[in-house]
Amino acid sequence: MRTILWLAICCLAVTVGTAGDAAAQFAKAEDAIKYRQSVMSVVGTHFTRLGAMVRGEAPFAREAFEENAALVATLLKLPWEAFQVAGSDKGSSLRPEALGKKEDFLKLARANQDEVAKLLAAAKTGDLNAIRPAFGAAGASCKACHDSYRRK
Ligand code: HEC
């Protein structure tokens, strides 16, 4: 039992370790740019669907809302290391400052993931009065990073 547990922990460490090594993952800066822009584009699509329901521009459908929120939460696990690849500020909307401020960038990414987790929790209640402020806070935490590290 103990061996199995250790094996599980080791595998997890290896997986996380590999996923965390941006240089090992992306051979070229363009690959990192394409990857993160693709992820963010899909994040944007699903986040916009949430926004339409929150604002009443689309009918509120509890299940669809929860599904879209869950997708955003899952997708937000993916892109952050791709923002750390040297040279990837060129030919993209990433501001060069971001590459020298990895800790701050990742702090904003974590804050965003926390807010989206709260949004997902609110979505599970199906109560728009809980969802609305959670959506606002999540959106503000997207914007906080864009204001600092995304070119206009
Ligand atoms: C920690 C920083 C950070 C957070 C948090 C963040 N973004 Fe971004 N986002 C960026 C940067 C930087 C770019 C530009 C990427 C590039 O051009 O390579 C970007 C690009 C985008 C794009 C354009 C993708 C494309 O087609 O090129 C969309 C849409 C987007 N973000 C939506 C969102 C949404 C919605 C959230 C919140 C749920 C969010 N972002 C959270 C930093 C962030």
Side-chain angles (χ1 to χ4, degrees):
M1 182 62 204
R2 188 167 277 186
T3 318
I4 292 170
L5 187 66
W6 274 113
L7 270 176
I9 291 168
C10 288
C11 290
L12 194 67
V14 169
T15 313
V16 171
T18 313
D21 189 344
Q25 232 177 354
F26 300 103
K28 291 184 292 196
E30 302 92 89
D31 296 346
I33 294 169
K34 199 193 286 174
Y35 180 84
R36 73 191 183 215
Q37 288 182 346
S38 308
V39 173
M40 295 319 288
S41 165
V42 182
V43 165
T45 300
H46 292 282
F47 202 73
T48 303
R49 287 182 193 165
L50 294 175
M53 284 193 245
V54 167
R55 285 187 291 272
E57 295 158 11
F60 177 70
R62 183 180 172 162
E63 246 177 62
F65 194 95
E66 192 181 324
E67 252 172 49
N68 279 287
L71 276 170
V72 172
T74 301
L75 289 163
L76 286 176
K77 293 178 185 165
L78 300 175
W80 310 119
E81 289 299 329
F83 284 94
Q84 311 299 328
V85 176
S88 69
D89 53 318
K90 294 175 192 74
S92 79
S93 299
L94 180 68
R95 289 204 189 168
E97 302 91 278
L99 294 169
K101 292 190 181 167
K102 184 174 176 171
E103 279 315 306
D104 188 55
F105 187 90
L106 291 177
K107 202 170 89 189
L108 291 171
R110 274 194 300 275
N112 186 222
Q113 285 175 282
D114 288 349
E115 294 302 340
V116 169
K118 287 183 207 159
L119 174 61
L120 179 56
K124 287 181 203 277
T125 70
D127 177 5
L128 258 180
N129 291 321
I131 288 171
R132 249 187 230 104
F135 179 82
S141 70
C142 308
K143 187 175 182 296
C145 184
H146 290 170
D147 286 348
S148 297
Y149 295 122
R150 185 186 178 187
R151 266 192 269 263
K152 298 268 155 18

